[in-house]
Amino acid sequence: MRLVGTLQLALLLALTSWATGLNIPLEVEQLPTIITYTTGPVIALPFDPTVKIRCKAKGNPTPAYRWTKDGKDFIPPHITTNKTDPTGGTVVLLHKHLINFQGKYRCYAFNKLGTAMTEEIELIVPNVPKFPKEEHPPIVVKEGEPMTLHCNPPEGVAPRQIYWMSLGLQHFKQDNRVSMGSDGNLYFSNAIQNDSRKDYCCYAAFPRIRTIVQKDAMAVVVKSLNNGNESDDSADATPPVRRPSLLLPSGVQTVKVLLKGETLKLECIPEGYPTPMVKWMKMGDKMAPRNKVERHGKLLTISAVEERDGGKYMCTAENSAGEAVHYFDVIVEEQPKWLTEPPQGQLTVIGSDVHVKCSVTGKPPPDITWRRNGELFRDDPDNNRRVLDDTVVLHNATPEDSAVYQCDASNVHGSILANINIMVMNMAPRILTRDYQDYAVVLGGDITMNCSVFGSPPPEVSWSKYETPGPIEGERFSQNGSLQIIIAEKRDSGKYVCVASNREGKSSITAILDVKDPTKIVGPPQDAQVISGTTAQLKCQTEYDESLRGSFEVVWRKDGEELPLSFEENSRYVLDDGMLQIMNVNLSDQGVYTCVARTSLDEDSATALLTILDVPDAPKDLKISEIKSPRNVLLSWVPGSDHNSSITEFIVEYEESQWEPGRWKEQQKVPGNQATAELALHGHLDYQFRVYAVNAVGPGPPSEPTERYRTPPAAPDRNPENIKIQGHLPHQMDISWEPLLPIEHNGPGLEYKVSYRKLGVEDVWTEHLVKRHSFVVRNTSTFIPYEIKIQSRNSHGKGPDPKVVTGYSGEDVPTAAPRDVAVEVFNTTVLRVSWTPAPPATVRGHLGGYDVQWFRKRSMLNPNKVLDERESMSFPGKRTHAIVPGLKPFSEYRLTVNVFNKKGNGPNSDPVTFNTPEGVPAQVPILTASNAQKDTILLVWGPPLETNGILSGYLLQYHLFDEPTLEVVDSQEINITKADTTQLRLRGLEESRLYRFHLSACTRAGCGPPLAQESRTVTSAHLPPTPAVAPVQSIPALLNISSYVSDTFAKISWTAREEQQDSQLYVAYKNNRDGIWRISEAVNTSQSFHIIDGLKPGAVYTVRLMAKRLLDNASIFEDVIQTRVKAAEGQRRDFSTQGWLIGTMCAMALLTLVVLMACFVRRNKGGKYAGTPPPRPQQQDMFSMGKVKEKEDLHPDVESQGMNDDMFCEYSDSEEKPLKARGLISLNDDDTVGDSISRDSLVDYADGGGEFDEDGSFIGEYSESKHRGSGSAPNGPGTITA
């Protein structure tokens, strides 16, 4: 019959048309397909609350489900559903009544086109295993006889594990004589006396259900063979020799059937005396190399058996009495399985032939059953439906033949089932890919543009590109339904058309391709070494296509694992613009870091090695061994890890328990390539040692300390050092020294032997024993040399021989002065003084040096005024001359010299009187160039503050500059021979030209340093129409300039003329200590005051009022102020309460009022503050008016200040003080000018005799300074017209 079926099948195959494998998109109607289901058997465990049997299928329409149990329809109590599978097929069974649901289940998934089914799923609900309650009488055997203890374990959920233990849960030892069989019984080949006991228990464990059950204990009594002997003295009886037999298995032969792939287990447990040994063999063939013999030779196992492992096996049990054998006939069978793969579903056109072959194998050969939509399918030749053994043939198929066909192959060992979906249909092409799908690929990458098509018969698919005729061709292009482009180029961007066609119709879609720039890492991270605890930085610079910005990201990996980057504050990893920062790195951060720059299309990566440097680990295994003596030891150790930085040195530390317990000190340093140290130790100490390593990062932790090491006592190793001999009093000698450290005592009873004698006079040493580290020798002569030595000693002996040092007894002040003092004047400020030293005996101590004192008696400019300016200099060491600097020119001095030692100064020498020569003057403090006309400029200056001689005149040099090159065109020089001249009108200058003026003051010794000033003559067009009306300059003319100075601010006040109420000025100031100028914004003169804030208490400041915001511009006014110190407030309050001061102030205020009234009357008459004096007598008038102005500045009244700035008639020392008149020169219509202040600061005035009042304002008057500094006293300032 099988031959006839085969011939029919061959004929049908010859007539069958081509059909495709079934791969239908879900968008198309199709038969149900089982996706997943629970494979049996399912074992319900006791602790599982529910049991789920799953079944899931796909299809269009969506399949529904039905179940059968034991071949009958079954309605599940609970079925789960979800959104994607609303008809879901998962059965949920509650554990409470689970025993009622034990059986075999099958799931059916169906829709209108057909039905798919699963294999049978067996649900097993095991009972709780337990041993039955039994009475076990004692088992009595004779010594040497075999014995079997039966377990009979209950069935349960596999795996089942059997144990034999006592009631105390002690396992019974198993060996050749005693062993447990695979059936759970405990077999004894022969019994011995020690087998007698009452607690043989069998335990069965079921791990999957977490259960262990115990059988009731059994008792064994082994009767001794000696019980029947007549004499107790006879030797122990030996059991008779007995031929082996098998306790397990029984009989002669056993047939063993198992499935391919399982483990073969053959067991032979013999009995006999002596205990038999078991051997195994395979008859007629070699044993498989996978075999193992276990349980003392009684169990043979072969894992994963194959068909060739079948055959006859024999076990032989043998002892001295004989042997016993047993044969095993092993048969290896196989459950059904597919020869290649399960049969596949098919899609074919109407009218074609369909054949389905179910190729299976198994042992015994499986029986094949065919079903259609779950119902039995039989051979029907009349309707062209044939079932030929393992093949189904559908001839001239129609749509009604579309169904799910099941092939079920089974034998005694199991079954397998396949659902085969057969679709018979004709359909025009249907493109499932979305139209106008966008694709993107990076330059040089590969891209596949999909064109998923379904149709029957299968459609042909072709691709073309817009605006390009014909099909796409080239090595870079391949088509298999989809279009694949290899190594994409920029020109590949554009629109593509996919056309699908078969005999039923045609369809097309458009795809759009964009070729983008690739992602690159242009600046890869670099290998780095970072110290532990610092921050590591790894930079990764990238480039990518801007259109992919939304998907671009930089990811960092460490050793292949992605780093957990976080934006939280406490995160150790920070990513900023491609740079990875690792905060507070440690050794775990060391590794290979990979920067991955990726977009949705591509990625690029680069790696760098991060090495963490850390301090070395602590050394280990410290050992102490003696070398020469107990006080010379060798310390060795094993270095720890250097953590990527070589160890440079090891530091050995010690701690001793007698003097400073718990304190570790450095003992020795050892090079980093050495792991031993030789230590010289002190005596009588209990040491322990530790070692730590140092590398470039720093010192590491110390090792564990060694055990205590005790050194024996000994004499001291050294004597005291740093011996000092001093004489604090004239007739004694103080000896002190640096004592031995406590650890240097080397034993108890330390003391010092002090020996001394006069140097070169005495031969015998005077000796004293002391315990302290100082000693005083009394009643000595003054400053006598001694020899001293100090030796240490203790209870165990003396130290080494001491060294002798020399010292002196106490000193006293010198008794004689230097002689023959002579002076040689080098120049105006430096001289050389020489002398004959005092006799050494009179010094009475170590020579310290010489003091030179000089004081200035008088200045030759003012010989009648006696001065007392004393100065001195010390010159250490032995010498006979010295250079004395810092003298003042043109002065008379007196000089003395004395010698000194540590005790003090000796008497002064006889005084020497000398004069310093005349010197050149200091720089003139002020030089102004103003009232410029077409060919004239007025120069005004002040005499030098220090003339250093008799002032003889001035030297004026002026230069004409060529603009814009600033080259000097012409230079002139004028000697001004009148010392009292302070003004000069230069005439004959060129129109509208730039000039620079240099003015120096001169004495007979020469001219001093010049002061420079620049100015420019004006053109005719800029001359004023009438001198009486036009102003001389645009610089604001201010009256009554005053200041109020506090500790942190200053208030500068002024009164502006009516015609200049809307002018602007700038206030500049600097701290004279740092010299940094600060300039205010523009201040309107009508504001009448300006506040300078943020000043430091007790500091000196220079203040300027300027018409322009330029420091090199001529200033309207300049003065020096000093801020207050808070501690002085009490003194000022006391001062202001003095009655005489109040009276004086009132008188000054009245006098000021009278002077101001007179000034206002003159101003109203002439329109100018100072009037218009006649040509020549002007000098005297100006001097007089200067005096008036001086008083006016010193004593301003309230009315002249307009009653502003919170000023009242009541006087207080904290009220405003007038700024001084040296910065104000009256304006007139001729040669006087209002701006007479040079660019230079007037701080130097303070050094010329001026002084500060209590609020810090500078009150030194310009005229007074001039008279003090000049060699002549003229009646008034002179004016020269050149």
Side-chain angles (χ1 to χ4, degrees):
M1 182 66 183
R2 180 180 294 274
L3 179 60
V4 173
T6 303
L7 292 174
Q8 292 176 337
L9 175 61
L11 179 62
L12 284 173
L13 289 176
L15 300 175
T16 300
S17 65
W18 178 86
T20 64
L22 193 60
N23 186 16
I24 306 174
L26 270 178
E27 292 86 348
V28 179
E29 278 194 353
Q30 58 185 279
L31 295 161
T33 302
I34 302 289
I35 300 173
T36 182
Y37 65 96
T38 301
T39 58
V42 177
I43 300 176
L45 300 178
F47 43 79
D48 292 335
T50 60
V51 174
K52 292 182 180 180
I53 305 176
R54 291 179 172 83
C55 180
K56 185 176 182 181
K58 68 175 182 177
N60 188 358
T62 302
Y65 299 89
R66 66 182 179 87
W67 290 82
T68 63
K69 176 178 179 287
D70 298 327
K72 298 180 181 180
D73 289 339
F74 171 73
I75 300 176
H78 299 89
I79 298 179
T80 63
T81 61
N82 54 59
K83 294 181 179 179
T84 58
D85 188 12
T87 63
T90 299
V91 175
V92 179
L93 303 176
L94 299 179
H95 192 277
K96 184 175 181 181
H97 305 291
L98 205 56
I99 191 65
N100 299 327
F101 296 105
Q102 182 167 281
K104 295 182 178 181
Y105 292 82
R106 195 187 295 270
C107 170
Y108 295 85
F110 62 92
N111 62 15
K112 67 179 183 179
L113 301 181
T115 302
M117 58 184 271
T118 66
E119 297 177 353
E120 283 190 330
I121 307 166
E122 184 179 7
L123 174 62
I124 300 174
V125 183
N127 294 320
V128 177
K130 60 182 178 180
F131 284 99
K133 290 291 184 180
E134 298 176 307
E135 290 291 335
H136 299 290
I139 299 174
V140 180
V141 295
K142 289 184 178 180
E143 186 177 0
E145 292 182 351
M147 176 177 60
T148 300
L149 301 182
H150 295 277
C151 179
N152 298 323
E155 296 297 328
V157 180
R160 183 184 64 182
Q161 300 167 347
I162 309 298
Y163 305 98
W164 282 89
M165 293 186 292
S166 65
L167 290 175
L169 300 182
Q170 296 294 320
H171 286 271
F172 292 114
K173 182 180 179 182
Q174 298 187 30
D175 50 21
N176 293 332
R177 188 180 66 85
V178 181
S179 61
M180 183 182 71
S182 57
D183 57 1
N185 296 336
L186 188 63
Y187 295 93
F188 296 79
S189 294
N190 46 76
I192 61 176
Q193 284 290 315
N194 290 339
D195 294 335
S196 296
R197 58 187 304 155
K198 300 179 180 180
D199 58 350
Y200 285 93
C201 294
C202 179
Y203 294 85
F206 302 89
R208 288 191 62 185
I209 60 174
R210 306 168 192 169
T211 300
I212 298 177
V213 293
Q214 174 189 347
K215 189 171 185 176
D216 293 336
M218 290 179 281
V220 172
V221 177
V222 179
K223 290 186 177 181
S224 173
L225 297 178
N226 291 331
N227 292 342
N229 291 346
E230 297 178 358
S231 174
D232 293 339
D233 298 333
S234 62
D236 291 341
T238 303
V241 174
R242 189 172 69 255
R243 181 186 179 92
S245 66
L246 292 178
L247 297 174
L248 185 74
S250 61
V252 177
Q253 182 172 341
T254 301
V255 176
K256 186 79 171 179
V257 179
L258 72 161
L259 293 179
K260 183 179 178 180
E262 293 182 343
T263 298
L264 171 65
K265 295 184 178 181
L266 304 179
E267 191 174 29
C268 282
I269 300 179
E271 63 88 8
Y273 188 85
T275 303
M277 302 299 292
V278 178
K279 297 179 181 179
W280 293 90
M281 66 173 293
K282 184 178 181 182
M283 303 182 68
D285 198 358
K286 289 183 179 180
M287 193 88 72
R290 303 183 309 281
N291 78 87
K292 291 183 179 180
V293 178
E294 302 173 343
R295 296 185 184 176
H296 309 284
K298 302 174 186 178
L299 178 65
L300 171 68
T301 63
I302 300 177
S303 61
V305 296
E306 301 173 358
E307 192 170 352
R308 66 173 180 268
D309 294 323
K312 283 190 175 295
Y313 291 79
M314 181 180 72
C315 75
T316 303
E318 184 179 22
N319 67 5
S320 59
E323 65 179 27
V325 297
H326 190 88
Y327 300 96
F328 295 90
D329 191 2
V330 177
I331 302 172
V332 180
E333 296 188 345
E334 186 177 12
Q335 60 187 7
K337 72 172 185 177
W338 306 111
L339 277 176
T340 53
E341 60 180 359
Q344 302 297 311
Q346 298 179 31
L347 171 64
T348 187
V349 295
I350 299 172
S352 61
D353 291 341
V354 179
H355 69 278
V356 182
K357 185 175 179 59
C358 194
S359 300
V360 295
T361 184
K363 188 178 181 181
D367 295 325
I368 297 177
T369 303
W370 287 94
R371 290 183 176 85
R372 182 179 185 272
N373 292 331
E375 303 295 332
L376 286 176
F377 184 63
R378 294 181 174 85
D379 187 44
D380 187 3
D382 296 336
N383 293 319
N384 297 324
R385 310 292 181 258
R386 303 305 309 273
V387 177
L388 305 173
D389 196 10
D390 62 350
T391 303
V392 168
V393 179
L394 306 176
H395 179 63
N396 195 17
T398 65
E400 288 74 16
D401 291 322
S402 296
V404 182
Y405 293 82
Q406 285 89 21
C407 170
D408 189 352
S410 61
N411 64 12
V412 294
H413 299 298
S415 65
I416 55 174
L417 180 140
N419 288 283
I420 306 107
N421 290 6
I422 304 297
M423 291 288 293
V424 183
M425 63 187 302
N426 288 2
M427 182 177 179
R430 179 179 178 183
I431 299 180
L432 304 174
T433 302
R434 183 170 62 87
D435 199 8
Y436 282 94
Q437 175 75 43
D438 290 320
Y439 295 90
V441 65
V442 295
L443 185 67
D446 300 341
I447 182 68
T448 299
M449 291 184 284
N450 296 321
C451 189
S452 179
V453 182
F454 177 76
S456 182
E460 293 183 359
V461 179
S462 63
W463 285 83
S464 62
K465 188 177 182 183
Y466 263 55
E467 302 175 356
T468 302
I472 297 175
E473 296 178 349
E475 295 181 354
R476 297 189 301 109
F477 302 93
S478 63
Q479 301 183 37
N480 57 351
S482 298
L483 175 63
Q484 184 178 16
I485 303 176
I486 302 172
I487 311 176
E489 301 174 358
K490 281 288 187 179
R491 61 179 179 172
D492 294 332
S493 297
K495 295 182 179 179
Y496 293 80
V497 178
C498 170
V499 178
S501 62
N502 64 8
R503 68 190 182 197
E504 301 294 328
K506 180 186 291 187
S507 182
S508 67
I509 61 167
T510 299
I512 302 172
L513 177 62
D514 185 7
V515 180
K516 300 180 181 294
D517 293 327
T519 303
K520 297 180 182 177
I521 294 179
V522 295
Q526 303 297 315
D527 294 347
Q529 291 185 337
V530 181
I531 296 176
S532 177
T534 62
T535 298
Q537 294 184 342
L538 297 174
K539 295 182 179 180
C540 186
Q541 297 179 350
T542 60
E543 290 181 356
Y544 58 93
D545 196 292
E546 281 298 323
S547 63
L548 299 175
R549 176 181 292 273
S551 65
F552 175 76
E553 64 175 345
V554 175
V555 176
W556 285 87
R557 298 190 181 107
K558 176 183 179 291
D559 299 329
E561 297 292 331
E562 188 167 324
L563 290 178
L565 300 178
S566 173
F567 295 99
E568 299 178 1
E569 292 184 0
N570 57 354
S571 175
R572 292 181 57 244
Y573 301 101
V574 177
L575 183 61
D576 183 14
D577 194 21
M579 181 174 69
L580 175 67
Q581 296 188 72
I582 308 175
M583 309 296 181
N584 193 24
V585 297
N586 52 53
L587 292 172
S588 66
D589 294 317
Q590 180 169 298
V592 177
Y593 286 78
T594 303
C595 169
V596 181
R598 66 189 180 195
T599 64
S600 58
L601 298 182
D602 68 334
E603 67 178 39
D604 192 14
S605 63
T607 61
L609 175 63
L610 179 63
T611 304
I612 305 301
L613 307 179
D614 204 350
V615 297
D617 285 344
K620 304 175 182 177
D621 301 333
L622 273 68
K623 296 180 180 178
I624 301 175
S625 55
E626 295 183 5
I627 304 177
K628 300 175 183 178
S629 67
R631 292 176 55 200
N632 292 91
V633 300
L634 180 69
L635 179 67
S636 62
W637 59 87
V638 177
S641 172
D642 63 4
H643 294 310
N644 305 309
S645 179
S646 299
I647 296 175
T648 56
E649 62 180 359
F650 291 97
I651 309 296
V652 179
E653 293 185 319
Y654 73 91
E655 182 264 351
E656 50 82 21
S657 59
Q658 180 175 352
W659 300 104
E660 292 182 284
R663 182 179 178 184
W664 290 91
K665 297 180 181 180
E666 181 178 317
Q667 171 78 17
Q668 191 172 331
K669 292 184 178 180
V670 178
N673 59 357
Q674 184 176 327
T676 59
E678 293 187 11
L679 308 179
L681 307 180
H682 296 291
H684 197 54
L685 292 177
D686 202 2
Y687 281 98
Q688 63 177 349
F689 302 95
R690 70 182 186 185
V691 183
Y692 65 88
V694 180
N695 62 9
V697 180
S703 66
E704 291 295 323
T706 63
E707 297 291 332
R708 291 284 178 182
Y709 181 81
R710 182 79 178 181
T711 56
D717 294 324
R718 70 175 184 92
N719 293 312
E721 297 177 351
N722 295 331
I723 301 173
K724 296 180 180 179
I725 297 96
Q726 297 173 318
H728 297 295
L729 295 176
H731 299 292
Q732 71 180 33
M733 180 171 58
D734 300 304
I735 306 172
S736 62
W737 56 90
E738 186 179 285
L740 268 63
L741 297 175
I743 62 172
E744 296 176 325
H745 290 187
N746 284 357
L750 181 75
E751 57 185 0
Y752 302 99
K753 183 173 74 172
V754 181
S755 306
Y756 60 89
R757 67 184 178 185
K758 292 182 180 180
L759 179 63
V761 177
E762 300 176 351
D763 294 330
V764 180
W765 292 89
T766 303
E767 298 179 348
H768 296 275
L769 287 176
V770 296
K771 293 187 177 181
R772 59 184 183 276
H773 55 277
S774 64
F775 183 75
V776 178
V777 181
R778 305 184 185 278
N779 301 320
T780 65
S781 301
T782 302
F783 202 63
I784 298 299
Y786 279 84
E787 289 182 311
I788 301 100
K789 60 182 180 180
I790 302 175
Q791 186 180 34
S792 55
R793 56 191 295 174
N794 63 16
S795 301
H796 292 269
K798 300 178 181 179
D801 292 336
K803 295 181 180 179
V804 177
V805 297
T806 302
Y808 288 82
S809 58
E811 301 182 22
D812 207 344
V813 295
T815 58
R819 295 174 287 109
D820 305 327
V821 178
V823 170
E824 179 184 358
V825 179
F826 287 162
N827 54 37
T828 59
T829 61
V830 179
L831 63 81
R832 181 181 186 274
V833 58
S834 61
W835 61 85
T836 299
T842 64
V843 176
R844 300 205 297 175
H846 294 285
L847 176 65
Y850 293 86
D851 281 337
V852 178
Q853 303 98 17
W854 68 94
F855 67 95
R856 187 183 178 203
K857 296 176 63 178
R858 60 179 61 84
S859 170
M860 306 304 292
L861 293 175
N862 192 5
N864 295 327
K865 182 177 181 180
V866 178
L867 304 175
D868 191 13
E869 300 176 4
R870 297 179 180 271
E871 296 183 65
S872 66
M873 289 184 68
S874 292
F875 300 93
K878 184 177 181 181
R879 59 197 307 154
T880 59
H881 67 275
I883 303 298
V884 177
L887 304 178
K888 293 185 178 180
F890 212 44
S891 301
E892 180 182 345
Y893 283 88
R894 194 173 81 168
L895 180 144
T896 60
V897 183
N898 67 267
V899 67
F900 65 88
N901 61 17
K902 293 181 180 179
K903 295 298 290 184
N905 296 329
N908 290 333
S909 66
D910 295 332
V912 177
T913 302
F914 63 93
N915 294 336
T916 54
E918 192 173 359
V920 297
Q923 188 184 58
V924 295
I926 303 172
L927 174 62
T928 62
S930 59
N931 200 12
Q933 303 295 319
K934 182 174 68 174
D935 59 353
T936 66
I937 290 178
L938 176 64
L939 298 178
V940 180
W941 64 87
L945 300 181
E946 295 290 342
T947 58
N948 296 330
I950 299 174
L951 194 64
S952 61
Y954 298 90
L955 174 63
L956 174 64
Q957 297 173 323
Y958 59 97
H959 310 285
L960 172 62
F961 286 90
D962 180 24
E963 296 183 288
T965 63
L966 296 181
E967 294 183 357
V968 177
V969 177
D970 186 23
S971 297
Q972 299 291 334
E973 184 176 294
I974 299 176
N975 283 313
I976 303 170
T977 57
K978 290 187 177 182
D980 58 351
T981 302
T982 58
Q983 296 183 11
L984 177 63
R985 167 73 69 177
L986 287 177
R987 300 185 184 277
L989 305 179
E990 296 185 20
E991 180 180 349
S992 187
R993 300 299 294 273
L994 177 65
Y995 286 87
R996 175 175 288 178
F997 307 98
H998 296 269
L999 183 68
S1000 302
C1002 302
T1003 63
R1004 287 175 295 184
C1007 296
L1011 178 64
Q1013 182 63 280
E1014 290 182 2
S1015 186
R1016 181 191 302 277
T1017 56
V1018 299
T1019 61
S1020 301
H1022 290 82
L1023 288 176
T1026 58
V1029 177
V1032 176
Q1033 58 181 6
S1034 62
I1035 298 176
L1038 305 178
L1039 302 175
N1040 303 325
I1041 300 177
S1042 61
S1043 68
Y1044 169 79
V1045 184
S1046 179
D1047 53 350
T1048 60
F1049 70 90
K1051 179 178 179 182
I1052 311 300
S1053 304
W1054 61 81
T1055 302
R1057 295 178 183 272
E1058 294 179 1
E1059 63 273 15
Q1060 293 182 332
Q1061 283 290 327
D1062 290 328
S1063 300
Q1064 288 186 338
L1065 58 83
Y1066 297 85
V1067 180
Y1069 69 97
K1070 71 173 181 180
N1071 188 320
N1072 289 355
R1073 180 177 295 275
D1074 58 32
I1076 299 175
W1077 283 99
R1078 296 169 177 81
I1079 307 176
S1080 71
E1081 298 296 328
V1083 180
N1084 195 297
T1085 55
S1086 62
Q1087 181 175 319
S1088 301
F1089 69 93
H1090 178 75
I1091 302 295
I1092 303 174
D1093 202 359
L1095 305 182
K1096 295 182 179 179
V1100 179
Y1101 290 86
T1102 299
V1103 180
R1104 285 185 183 178
L1105 304 184
M1106 304 183 301
K1108 296 182 180 179
R1109 206 168 190 267
L1110 296 172
L1111 286 173
D1112 60 353
N1113 188 60
S1115 57
I1116 303 170
F1117 191 85
E1118 181 171 336
D1119 195 19
V1120 177
I1121 63 173
Q1122 183 176 22
T1123 52
R1124 297 179 182 177
V1125 180
K1126 293 182 178 180
E1129 292 180 358
Q1131 298 177 6
R1132 290 199 296 272
R1133 285 196 296 270
D1134 295 339
F1135 181 78
S1136 62
T1137 57
Q1138 300 296 325
W1140 63 269
L1141 177 61
I1142 297 175
T1144 303
M1145 290 177 59
C1146 291
M1148 292 175 64
L1150 180 61
L1151 177 60
T1152 302
L1153 180 60
V1154 173
V1155 173
L1156 287 177
M1157 291 177 63
C1159 291
F1160 281 126
V1161 170
R1162 295 191 62 183
R1163 178 181 176 186
N1164 293 335
K1165 289 181 180 181
K1168 301 291 182 180
Y1169 177 76
T1172 306
R1176 188 56 186 165
Q1178 170 186 331
Q1179 295 182 10
Q1180 182 65 33
D1181 293 341
M1182 287 179 61
F1183 183 77
S1184 300
M1185 293 190 68
K1187 291 296 184 179
V1188 173
K1189 178 62 178 170
E1190 179 180 330
K1191 294 178 180 179
E1192 192 176 74
D1193 288 339
L1194 287 171
H1195 312 290
D1197 62 7
V1198 177
E1199 293 180 357
S1200 67
Q1201 299 185 26
M1203 296 293 290
N1204 62 354
D1205 304 333
D1206 301 329
M1207 292 188 63
F1208 297 92
C1209 293
E1210 180 181 352
Y1211 180 82
S1212 171
D1213 214 33
S1214 64
E1215 293 178 355
E1216 293 188 358
K1217 301 296 190 281
L1219 291 174
K1220 303 311 165 217
R1222 68 173 183 276
L1224 296 173
I1225 297 181
S1226 301
L1227 301 175
N1228 57 28
D1229 293 337
D1230 191 10
D1231 294 337
T1232 56
V1233 64
D1235 183 5
S1236 61
I1237 306 299
S1238 73
R1239 303 177 190 179
D1240 299 315
S1241 169
L1242 297 186
V1243 179
D1244 294 337
Y1245 270 69
D1247 298 330
E1251 55 188 21
F1252 292 98
D1253 68 0
E1254 286 185 286
D1255 69 354
S1257 296
F1258 186 63
I1259 62 173
E1261 292 302 329
Y1262 174 70
S1263 58
E1264 293 177 359
S1265 299
K1266 175 184 67 178
H1267 292 311
R1268 285 194 299 268
S1270 175
S1272 62
N1275 294 329
T1279 302
I1280 297 178
T1281 300

